[in-house]
């Protein structure tokens, strides 16, 4: 009987903690998707495109950026998200001119060898592929507060695979962080959210 | 609660009707269908296999292996997102529940085709052999869809 009471109390505590952390999570989500305020996160990148031209976040002021960090040897998560992005761009019609989708390679050496431009172009002609040095890639990832790592895997091609944050990030026309679309967010939902902003 | 109970068998009927228009393969109590892959750009990047396994029997089973002449190193994987990080570890045994089904589909379980023997083009088909712990092995035919496909064409026709 006593044990049962303790167990119930413990489960109650777990439940409360879950509610509390859920509330905190929601609060932080709302803050991160709030309109730009002074001191808000301004994610930046400075990376070469597939023609070798250096591209920076600053040159895209006035546009919304849909940013994805991925690698082209990823046959499941990355094509799924790129397909959603392609559908969003088609669904936006004329408004698509104000949105720039960007694929930042977290596996730049191999992706450059394999052909990043051809890969992103297969999904939508508007997608800009960027692949820089290790330092430039790390700086961009840190600025967006995302994580990626290279993991040894003897079965994988070249003996390694990448793990990474799979979400899609939205940056506003003033360079401000607006929100993320979690992995698997349907294109229709992203399109509607963008249409409300445009 | 009542509506939920009624809607479950309805959903089962509806989904098996949709699946019916894709080719099916049977081994023991298992039915495999909706087998598809995505086109690749060249042969240097991994390809992928998806399919659905439906278990009409009262005993659970496990999918433990995949083989195909289309790749030197085919392997079962699961895409998992843990603490906001996506990775795809090897899935040594994919559970096929009794009187239930499991789908290998984008964002979850998949057959990963490493070391492609040739590029995969939309419209191609290639064979694959699946190994189940209880039911044994079965050869299926995988249809290659566009790189941007979300599901096999045979499912789209039905809806
Ligand atoms: Cu995989």
């Amino acid at each position: 009987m006593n044990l049962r009471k303790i167990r119930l109390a413990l489960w109650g505590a777990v439940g409360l903690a879950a509610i509390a952390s859920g509330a905190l999570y929601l609060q932080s989500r709302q803050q991160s998707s709030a309109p730009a305020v002074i001191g808000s996160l301004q994610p930046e990148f400075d990376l070469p495109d597939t023609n070798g031209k250096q591209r920076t976040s600053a040159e895209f002021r006035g546009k919304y950026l849909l940013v994805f960090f991925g690698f082209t040897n990823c046959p499941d998560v990355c094509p799924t998200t790129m397909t959603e992005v392609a559908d969003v761009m088609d669904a936006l019609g004329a408004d698509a001119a104000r949105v720039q989708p960007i694929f930042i390679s977290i596996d730049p050496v191999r992706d450059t060898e394999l052909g990043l431009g051809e890969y992103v172009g297969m999904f939508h002609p508007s997608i800009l592929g960027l692949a820089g040095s290790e330092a430039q890639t790390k700086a961009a990832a840190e600025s967006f507060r995302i994580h990626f790592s290279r993991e040894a895997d003897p079965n994988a091609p070249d003996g390694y695979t990448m793990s990474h944050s799979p979400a899609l990030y939205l940056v506003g026309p003033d360079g401000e962080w607006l929100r993320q679309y979690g992995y698997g967010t349907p294109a229709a939902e992203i399109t509607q959210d963008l249409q409300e902003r445009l | 609660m009542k509506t939920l109970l009624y809607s479950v068998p309805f959903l089962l009927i509806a989904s098996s009707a949709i699946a019916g228009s894709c080719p099916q393969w049977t081994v023991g109590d298992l039915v495999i269908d909706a087998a598809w892959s995505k086109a690749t750009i060249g042969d240097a990047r991994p390809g992928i296999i998806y399919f659905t396994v439906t278990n009409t029997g009262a005993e659970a089973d496990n999918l433990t292996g995949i083989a195909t002449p289309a790749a030197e190193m085919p392997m079962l994987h699961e895409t998992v997102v843990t603490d906001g990080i996506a990775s795809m570890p090897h899935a040594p045994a994919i559970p096929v529940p009794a009187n239930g089904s499991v789908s290998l589909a984008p964002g979850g379980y998949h057959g990963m085709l490493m070391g492609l023997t040739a590029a995969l083009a939309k419209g191609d088909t290639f064979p694959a052999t699946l190994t189940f712990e209880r039911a044994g092995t079965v050869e299926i035919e995988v249809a290659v869809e566009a790189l941007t496909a979300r599901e096999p064409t045979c499912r789209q026709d039905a809806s």
Side-chain angles (χ1 to χ4, degrees):
Chain A
M1 193 60 186
N2 254 343
L3 260 180
R4 190 168 170 265
K5 264 186 191 159
I6 290 167
R7 211 177 290 149
L8 278 175
L10 280 174
W11 277 117
V14 168
L16 278 176
I19 291 164
S21 61
L24 276 175
Y25 174 73
L26 278 177
Q27 207 180 349
S28 66
R29 282 277 293 232
Q30 273 159 7
Q31 278 167 1
S32 67
S33 60
V37 288
I38 293 159
S40 72
L41 178 61
Q42 297 263 328
E44 289 172 351
F45 56 82
D46 187 351
L47 297 157
D49 64 20
T50 52
N51 297 315
K53 189 182 168 213
Q54 206 68 16
R55 311 299 291 264
T56 68
S57 35
E59 75 179 84
F60 295 100
R61 293 291 184 267
K63 282 193 173 191
Y64 287 83
L65 303 183
L66 268 179
V67 181
F68 182 75
F69 288 81
F71 65 115
T72 73
N73 252 25
C74 150
D76 191 43
V77 167
C78 306
T80 305
T81 305
M82 286 301 104
T83 299
E84 301 299 330
V85 169
D87 282 5
V88 167
M89 295 306 286
D90 286 341
L92 284 174
D95 285 339
R98 293 195 56 207
V99 179
Q100 176 61 57
I102 296 178
F103 182 106
I104 297 179
S105 170
I106 54 160
D107 189 13
V109 174
R110 186 165 63 178
D111 281 349
T112 301
E113 261 168 41
L114 292 172
L116 178 61
E118 191 191 2
Y119 177 85
V120 295
M122 286 294 286
F123 294 96
H124 201 275
S126 68
I127 302 172
L128 177 65
L130 302 177
S133 67
E134 198 178 320
Q136 290 167 335
T137 309
K138 265 197 181 140
E142 270 167 29
S143 181
F144 276 81
R145 302 191 181 170
I146 71 111
H147 301 281
F148 70 89
S149 66
R150 179 174 162 144
E151 286 168 9
D153 180 349
N155 294 313
D158 309 313
Y160 72 93
T161 186
M162 307 298 298
S163 60
H164 60 114
S165 307
L168 200 55
Y169 307 99
L170 182 65
V171 176
D174 297 318
E176 74 283 18
W177 165 272
L178 291 177
R179 64 166 290 179
Q180 68 169 34
Y181 303 101
Y183 173 62
T185 305
E189 213 173 287
I190 299 171
T191 304
Q192 199 192 342
D193 180 67
L194 284 172
Q195 276 166 340
E196 282 165 14
R197 297 170 189 272
L198 287 163
Chain B
M1 197 57 197
K2 249 185 191 166
T3 44
L4 184 69
L5 283 176
Y6 284 126
S7 64
V8 167
F10 171 74
L11 280 174
L12 283 176
I13 291 161
S15 64
S16 61
I18 290 167
S21 63
C22 289
Q24 296 189 341
W25 299 269
T26 304
V27 58
D29 291 331
L30 307 180
V31 180
I32 294 94
D33 79 332
W36 65 291
S37 176
K38 286 182 185 177
T40 62
I41 310 168
D43 59 7
R45 297 186 181 96
I48 201 135
I49 296 184
Y50 302 117
F51 50 87
T52 296
V53 184
T54 304
N55 188 351
T56 60
E59 302 256 24
D61 205 337
N62 281 307
L63 172 63
T64 54
I66 187 164
T68 174
E72 282 156 24
M73 176 73 78
M75 192 182 255
L76 296 172
H77 276 183
E78 182 181 15
T79 293
V80 288
V81 181
T82 309
D83 296 332
I85 304 291
S87 60
M88 39 178 196
H90 176 209
I94 298 177
V96 187
N99 294 307
S101 70
V102 62
S103 283
L104 282 73
Y109 290 119
H110 55 274
M112 181 101 158
L113 304 180
M114 295 174 286
L116 283 180
T117 39
L120 301 175
K122 186 184 172 182
D124 285 356
T125 62
F126 61 87
T129 304
L130 311 180
T131 303
F132 295 92
E133 212 165 72
R134 288 177 49 87
T137 63
V138 59
E139 188 177 297
I140 64 170
E141 193 78 4
V142 181
V144 182
E145 307 283 355
L147 176 59
T148 53
R150 287 193 173 86
E151 55 181 359
T153 312
C154 55
R155 282 239 162 132
Q156 292 160 3
D157 292 346
S159 57

